[in-house]
Amino acid sequence: MVQDRGLIVFPLNNTARRPLLCYVTDRRSLSESEPRQALETLLSKVEAAAASGVDWIQIREKDLSGRDYAWLTREALHPAAKHEASNGAPAHILVNDRLDVALSERAGGVHLGAKSLPLLEAQRLVKNCGEGEDFVIGVSCHSLEAAKSAANDGADYLFFGPIFNTPSKAAFGAPQGVERLAEVCRAVSVPVLAIGGITLANASDCLAADASGIAAIRLFQDAQDISSVVESLRKLTR
């Protein structure tokens, strides 16, 4: 479990009361049509999120080439390092899917999806690269069985969803709902972040289900004032 970089800020028994906040990027949902401008705008969103105290920022731009993905991750690490998250450490950058990019750019961790490298293989490669315990590996799960399996295999945290209706997660079927979220949170000992259609209006329902925090694209990326969004979420307790 991570200590040095402060990435995992909740104990394994999920008793911490302060919700963990994760901004997941999606430049394709931005209004800019020119690719380079979209990347620059995305980086401004990353800096705003870090400055507002978001704990984690997951770079999720799967269509980028390895070269561009590495450049974006490298550029995101600079502003993130300048600002403190809720635990007093800098905001941390996680890379979606691309373990090679996460390792080469010395990001805080990697987030694995259904089509990513298997968790056990990712763990082996991370160990062989000498990253050790200061590098976290998270896993997206869409069923109770998948959540149990990932937790048993040593995932540092889980994303579970979609909890509510959301365009970005439509491919994963009908919303799971907060009752299923609560079931997953009871079944595993690692932090579970709710994802999928999270808003200021329903975030408290996710935390009441014992989620360790929330992850979202639009909630953070589309906010006119991300600081006010983060401030409102910080007032919620589990």
Side-chain angles (χ1 to χ4, degrees):
M1 187 53 55
V2 170
Q3 297 295 335
D4 292 343
R5 296 188 187 182
L7 286 169
I8 295 293
V9 296
F10 295 110
L12 288 180
N13 61 10
N14 288 351
T15 58
R17 309 309 301 174
R18 194 175 182 89
L20 179 62
L21 306 181
C22 180
Y23 161 40
V24 181
T25 73
D26 181 11
R27 79 189 192 290
R28 291 168 296 180
S29 68
L30 298 171
S31 59
E32 287 77 2
S33 58
E34 199 279 317
R36 197 66 183 184
Q37 183 59 47
L39 287 172
E40 294 295 340
T41 299
L42 187 67
L43 286 171
S44 71
K45 300 284 187 180
V46 167
E47 179 156 21
S52 299
V54 168
D55 299 289
W56 295 353
I57 300 168
Q58 183 191 134
I59 306 300
R60 184 182 182 274
E61 307 297 333
K62 296 184 178 183
D63 61 317
L64 288 179
S65 66
R67 181 187 297 273
D68 288 343
Y69 216 147
W71 175 85
L72 179 60
T73 300
R74 191 180 315 126
E75 291 299 308
L77 284 164
H78 296 310
K82 296 189 300 184
H83 303 286
E84 289 188 354
S86 64
N87 62 344
H92 290 278
I93 301 297
L94 308 179
V95 177
N96 184 286
D97 187 54
R98 295 294 299 264
L99 178 59
D100 57 336
V101 171
L103 290 173
S104 67
E105 301 306 322
R106 301 195 60 79
V110 69
H111 186 86
L112 304 176
K115 297 181 180 181
S116 299
L117 196 67
L119 172 59
L120 294 177
E121 184 67 11
Q123 291 170 330
R124 183 184 67 81
L125 291 173
V126 169
K127 183 178 181 180
N128 287 346
C129 288
E131 285 292 334
E133 295 185 352
D134 65 345
F135 186 93
V136 296
I137 305 177
V139 178
S140 286
C141 301
H142 309 289
S143 70
L144 176 60
E145 292 72 23
K148 287 181 177 179
S149 177
N152 289 337
D153 284 344
D156 290 305
Y157 70 90
L158 308 177
F159 276 12
F160 183 74
I163 306 303
F164 308 104
N165 279 313
T166 178
S168 65
K169 299 296 181 182
F172 298 107
Q176 299 279 353
V178 293
E179 291 184 3
R180 180 55 60 88
L181 172 64
E183 187 178 1
V184 168
C185 292
R186 289 193 298 268
V188 301
S189 59
V190 299
V192 177
L193 278 70
I195 190 169
I198 309 298
T199 67
L200 286 177
N202 61 34
S204 61
D205 295 333
C206 297
L207 300 179
D210 207 27
S212 293
I214 59 102
I217 296 173
R218 292 178 296 166
L219 177 62
F220 299 115
Q221 188 165 282
D222 294 353
Q224 294 296 315
D225 182 1
I226 191 171
S227 294
S228 65
V229 171
V230 171
E231 183 178 356
S232 296
L233 290 170
R234 289 296 182 213
K235 294 177 181 178
L236 303 177
T237 57
R238 296 173 51 239

